[in-house]
Amino acid sequence: MAKPYTDDIVVRQVAVGETEELMTFLLAYYYPEEPLTAGTQPPEPEAADKEFLLSNVPHGTCFVALHEGRIVAAVVAGPKDSHEPEHMAEEARKYAGGKWGSILHLLSAVETATDVCRRFSVPSCLHVHALGVDPQLRGRNLGGRLMEAVAQRGRDLGHQLVSVDCTSVYSARLVQRLGYQLINTLRYVDHLDASGQQVIRPPPPHESVQTFVLHL
């Protein structure tokens, strides 16, 4: 159900039939600035990357902020459980050699290091995969509103935890303001492939992936 605010922004859940509109927004306002995407070549995300994000919509854990009926911010989140480190490692091997494989190589290392479900002894949690905001409406706490919507959805579904791998310094600042706890930092310069080369090289000022959790 749509959630109105005192201003002209409405935050609501993404419906299954709205995946095309969601991806159009993400391609315009999320992927171009996302450090993992910007830090690997070619600049465009691979089909498997986009398909993964959209696969979270049926869980009812993705939200958009609307201004005059237009999407101006979006968050993609989905459930994961204690088998996620093994699953991520398998996916990284499956897509090795391409852009999505390079991104998964790093995310798998992060997942192995954090392993939040086992670390906090919870059967499952909601994990935030993507957050994008239209630059023209930044400064209105749209990211915060969307993260709050994810947290409430997590409570409604019985999860005890929300986790997020902040690949950007800006998303890290946002979740810190929302009370998230930092549990792990992986610097991009320290994540190397088998030949000793840095896997992902994001533009400044992004230097690390920081994993945060919020207890619900």
Side-chain angles (χ1 to χ4, degrees):
M1 182 176 180
K3 182 180 180 181
Y5 288 87
T6 55
D7 57 12
D8 52 357
I9 300 295
V10 173
V11 172
R12 65 167 174 79
Q13 193 178 98
V14 179
V16 172
E18 297 176 317
T19 54
E20 184 175 344
E21 294 91 335
L22 174 63
M23 183 49 63
T24 298
F25 176 83
L26 294 173
L27 287 170
Y29 299 110
Y30 164 69
Y31 280 113
E33 297 184 4
E34 207 292 308
L36 301 189
T37 305
T40 51
Q41 292 298 321
E44 299 80 14
E46 291 187 351
D49 184 339
K50 295 184 287 186
E51 289 168 5
F52 168 72
L53 285 188
L54 295 182
S55 72
N56 291 280
V57 172
H59 296 296
T61 49
C62 303
F63 294 85
V64 289
L66 303 174
H67 177 256
E68 298 179 351
R70 182 175 69 90
I71 299 176
V72 292
V75 64
V76 175
K80 67 179 183 180
D81 59 24
S82 60
H83 300 292
E84 191 66 10
E86 294 80 10
H87 172 70
M88 287 292 294
E90 180 181 342
E91 290 294 291
R93 288 190 294 269
K94 177 180 176 181
Y95 290 100
K99 180 184 180 78
W100 182 226
S102 296
I103 292 172
L104 288 174
H105 187 274
L106 182 142
L107 292 177
S108 176
V110 170
E111 188 64 40
T112 297
T114 56
D115 198 5
V116 297
C117 291
R118 292 190 181 106
R119 179 186 293 228
F120 295 102
S121 300
V122 296
S124 63
C125 78
L126 276 191
H127 186 78
V128 177
H129 298 288
L131 177 65
V133 179
D134 184 333
Q136 293 185 349
L137 279 88
R138 288 177 183 169
R140 298 183 62 176
N141 194 36
L142 299 187
R145 293 182 183 185
L146 291 174
M147 293 296 290
E148 289 168 3
V150 169
Q152 186 54 55
R153 180 62 172 157
R155 295 184 189 96
D156 295 342
L157 292 173
H159 295 291
Q160 301 175 45
L161 201 70
V162 174
S163 63
V164 55
D165 299 323
C166 291
T167 57
S168 156
V169 296
Y170 307 120
S171 58
R173 290 172 188 168
L174 168 65
V175 299
Q176 284 177 308
R177 289 199 302 269
L178 296 174
Y180 279 65
Q181 170 193 355
L182 176 64
I183 63 168
N184 188 72
T185 299
L186 174 63
R187 297 197 311 156
Y188 291 117
V189 295
D190 294 333
H191 183 69
L192 311 176
D193 61 19
S195 64
Q197 298 299 307
Q198 185 174 337
V199 176
I200 295 178
R201 300 175 180 273
H206 312 297
E207 297 180 346
S208 64
V209 181
Q210 293 183 293
T211 301
F212 294 83
V213 298
L214 178 71
H215 297 271
L216 302 176

